[in-house]
Amino acid sequence: MKRLLILAFLLVAQPAFANHPGERIDEVMTAQEPAFEVADRPSTPNLNVEEPGGDVLRLGDLHDQIIVLSFVPTDCGGPCVEQQALLAGVQGQVNVSPMKEMVTFVTVHDADASIEAPWDEANWRLVIPSDDETTAAADRFAALSSRSQELPMAHVIDRNGRHAGIFHGSDFSKTNLTLYINQLINNAHAPKPPAEKGWWEWLTGWF
């Protein structure tokens, strides 16, 4: 209960977000979080991965979710360990709110890479590449960034596959990423329901 109250306070009391509509989230986050980079691309590179039981996971299968995607190659070491712990902390904040049902965290790792972060398996998917090494998959996504590729990146993918943003390394505020996810859930990029046809549209549709 205490964690829920703290998160609720953060979501309503952050001055940088309180007076900004969702469509300005990239601008606001850029000013607030140095580790954040705007992506805003309509899609992401192909990613062929499998879950521990051998089931194939496609990002398109999660089109109605906000996805937080990260990579842990075998040789990443401390930077990835730190980022995974931070992302698990973000998940902890997300999961004490209704956002839990709308966000999936995906970690791509080599089979011999150790993941020791305190993840909640309820909305976390641990996967391995189907036909490549994790480093190669991570590099394809890292190529979308204009920054140095030395630090691991956490890619935030909006609903319907839009590559929204990147959080670099492990120095970003987990509250900022939580707030970013919250704003994506409510922002202008979200899919709009189809408008109902009026009588004129129905009539002209016959021609």
Side-chain angles (χ1 to χ4, degrees):
M1 184 64 181
K2 181 179 179 181
R3 292 172 64 194
L4 181 59
L5 291 174
I6 292 173
L7 179 62
F9 173 78
L10 290 172
L11 294 178
V12 301
Q14 284 286 324
F17 286 84
N19 299 313
H20 294 82
E23 60 267 21
R24 294 191 62 201
I25 180 60
D26 288 341
E27 176 187 341
V28 174
M29 185 56 70
T30 297
Q32 179 162 312
E33 177 55 72
F36 171 74
E37 179 183 6
V38 177
D40 196 19
R41 295 173 179 266
S43 61
T44 60
N46 290 332
L47 182 65
N48 299 313
V49 293
E50 299 176 4
E51 298 187 88
D55 293 334
V56 173
L57 174 66
R58 297 178 179 85
L59 296 185
D61 296 337
L62 303 172
H63 65 89
D64 60 341
Q65 296 274 298
I66 304 294
I67 303 170
V68 181
L69 174 68
S70 58
F71 298 87
V72 182
T74 302
D75 60 354
C76 183
C80 282
V81 171
E82 293 171 3
Q83 187 183 74
Q84 289 295 297
L86 182 59
L87 292 174
V90 173
Q91 184 197 37
Q93 291 186 338
V94 166
N95 284 8
V96 295
S97 76
M99 292 187 290
K100 178 178 181 178
E101 305 301 322
M102 296 173 271
V103 183
T104 298
F105 295 80
V106 177
T107 300
V108 182
H109 77 122
D110 287 328
D112 55 351
S114 176
I115 307 292
E116 299 179 357
W119 286 103
D120 179 353
E121 295 187 4
N123 57 339
W124 174 58
R125 315 286 280 273
L126 179 64
V127 297
I128 60 174
S130 302
D131 52 8
D132 213 340
E133 293 183 349
T134 299
T135 298
D139 286 347
R140 287 197 297 273
F141 277 78
L144 304 178
S145 171
S146 61
R147 299 189 188 182
S148 167
Q149 299 184 17
E150 294 180 0
L151 294 175
M153 304 179 192
H155 300 266
V156 185
I157 302 171
D158 204 350
R159 285 160 292 188
N160 283 359
R162 186 180 72 93
H163 188 205
I166 303 169
F167 283 76
H168 292 262
S170 58
D171 288 336
F172 59 84
S173 162
K174 64 181 180 181
T175 297
N176 279 343
L177 178 49
T178 302
L179 289 168
Y180 186 69
I181 292 169
N182 176 262
Q183 290 296 305
L184 286 182
I185 288 172
N186 298 290
N187 76 2
H189 296 294
K192 301 291 193 302
E196 292 188 12
K197 292 184 178 181
W199 67 270
W200 179 252
E201 286 77 13
W202 282 110
L203 180 61
T204 56
W206 287 95
F207 301 96

